[in-house]
Amino acid sequence: MSGLEVSAVEFGYRRHRVLDGVGLTVAEGTFCALLGPNGSGKSTLTKIIARILAPQAGKVSFDGRDLLRTPRREHAKVVSYVPQSSEAPFELTVQEAVMLGRTPHMGLRPTAHDQAAVDGAIGRLGLAELGERRLSELSGGQAQRVLIARALAQEPRVLLLDEPTSALDLRYQIETLQIVRSVTREQGVTALIAIHDLNHAAHFCDQAVLLSGGRIVADGPPAEAFDADVLGEVYGLEVRVERRGADVEVRPAVLGDTAAVAPQGGGA
């Protein structure tokens, strides 16, 4: 199957093992959620695929091509990365910052295609009116959307997002997730998002990968991967998993919630 393949990836700091033999496959055109509590290895895995961190062991490939040994410029033509916080040069304008996404593809100056890719990404993220504003003048949420636009302008085959909606209000969280889902389906992009919201993952993502203690404990469509017993053990919280066909919703079992005595689905 074509797509992204992670095989037996190991990573740790001294005696602390962050990722322990992690392996997964994400097909082209699939929007995959990386889930788990803080410290489970979600962000570390995205940074390894982005080559910000180097694993102690394992392999990452896309369509059979070893991404960890590919020249950096060629890697950047395949993989784009949206960090968890705004790591952008704040004296650039929005247009200039998004144009940085074209760096792996550009020669000495932008082509018409480069400019079209930038304009398209800016428009898609609702930033057209801010194009000449400097990033230092933007809110944290606006700056985060600029980073997402920069990643889309890169026209990647693999899009990595490390908790990109954490600085966004609810409206822009939903819009951003809708945009990423559309990009995966329209352009066949493989997208991985480290995210905390289980219900957002269930609604927008095709695949859910649940990490705990640096290992994968569930992997599949959200309706199959979300098991109340497993989620409860991973998060240390009793939950209910409700299924309605292909749709699934996760809710905490609140004290006094009589329905929580007999949860639906997931073996809860």
Side-chain angles (χ1 to χ4, degrees), residues 149-168:
R150 183 181 69 181
L152 293 181
Q154 200 169 325
E155 296 183 314
R157 302 287 304 283
V158 177
L159 175 61
L160 306 171
L161 305 105
D162 187 2
E163 299 185 30
T165 59
S166 59
L168 305 180

Side-chain angles (χ1 to χ4, degrees), residues 88-90 92-103 118 122 131 133 135 146-147 149-151 153:
F90 277 84
L92 294 182
T93 67
V94 169
Q95 273 275 348
E96 292 167 340
V98 177
M99 184 62 76
L100 289 176
R102 299 302 303 165
T103 302
V118 168
I122 286 174
R133 295 267 296 276
L135 269 63
V146 172
L147 295 182
R150 183 181 69 181

Side-chain angles (χ1 to χ4, degrees), residues 12-268:
Y13 299 99
R14 296 185 179 180
R15 296 183 180 180
H16 176 56
R17 181 61 51 189
V18 181
L19 296 175
D20 187 6
V22 167
L24 70 148
T25 300
V26 185
E28 287 185 286
T30 297
F31 190 9
C32 176
L34 298 176
L35 300 156
N38 290 334
S40 61
K42 304 185 302 297
S43 294
T44 299
L45 182 56
T46 63
K47 289 177 180 177
I48 286 173
I49 300 170
R51 287 179 66 173
I52 295 168
L53 297 174
Q56 276 95 42
K59 183 178 179 181
V60 178
S61 60
F62 181 78
D63 284 356
R65 184 180 187 181
D66 189 342
L67 291 179
L68 301 183
R69 297 180 181 274
T70 302
R72 291 281 182 175
R73 186 179 179 93
E74 295 305 310
H75 178 274
K77 291 180 181 179
V78 177
V79 179
S80 65
Y81 171 71
V82 179
Q84 190 173 128
S85 57
S86 297
E87 298 173 5
F90 277 84
E91 291 312 306
L92 294 182
T93 67
V94 169
Q95 273 275 348
E96 292 167 340
V98 177
M99 184 62 76
L100 289 176
R102 299 302 303 165
T103 302
H105 306 279
M106 281 197 313
L108 294 177
R109 60 184 62 187
T111 65
H113 178 76
D114 293 323
Q115 190 61 58
V118 168
D119 291 342
I122 286 174
R124 202 159 197 175
L125 269 296
L127 298 166
E129 295 182 358
L130 304 175
E132 299 306 316
R133 295 267 296 276
R134 296 191 182 278
L135 269 63
S136 57
E137 301 171 356
L138 305 183
S139 68
Q142 289 170 330
Q144 188 69 10
R145 283 190 283 141
V146 172
L147 295 182
I148 298 168
R150 183 181 69 181
L152 293 181
Q154 200 169 325
E155 296 183 314
R157 302 287 304 283
V158 177
L159 175 61
L160 306 171
L161 305 105
D162 187 2
E163 299 185 30
T165 59
S166 59
L168 305 180
D169 63 28
L170 182 59
R171 171 192 167 187
Y172 287 118
Q173 288 181 33
I174 300 302
E175 289 185 0
T176 298
L177 292 167
Q178 287 175 329
I179 289 166
V180 175
R181 184 172 66 175
S182 296
V183 168
T184 61
R185 295 179 178 180
E186 294 167 9
Q187 302 175 21
V189 172
T190 300
L192 278 78
I193 181 170
I195 188 170
H196 280 292
D197 193 307
L198 295 170
N199 289 315
H200 282 175
H203 185 74
F204 291 100
C205 296
D206 310 297
Q207 180 178 352
V209 174
L210 180 63
L211 289 143
S212 178
R215 295 185 177 186
I216 292 176
V217 295
D219 180 3
E224 297 176 11
F226 286 1
D227 176 272
D229 289 336
V230 174
L231 291 173
E233 184 175 348
V234 168
Y235 287 98
L237 175 71
E238 186 180 355
V239 299
R240 300 178 62 204
V241 176
E242 298 184 350
R243 292 179 173 83
R244 298 177 184 87
D247 295 327
V248 60
E249 181 181 6
V250 179
R251 294 197 298 166
V254 181
L255 187 65
D257 181 358
T258 56
V261 177
Q264 300 176 19

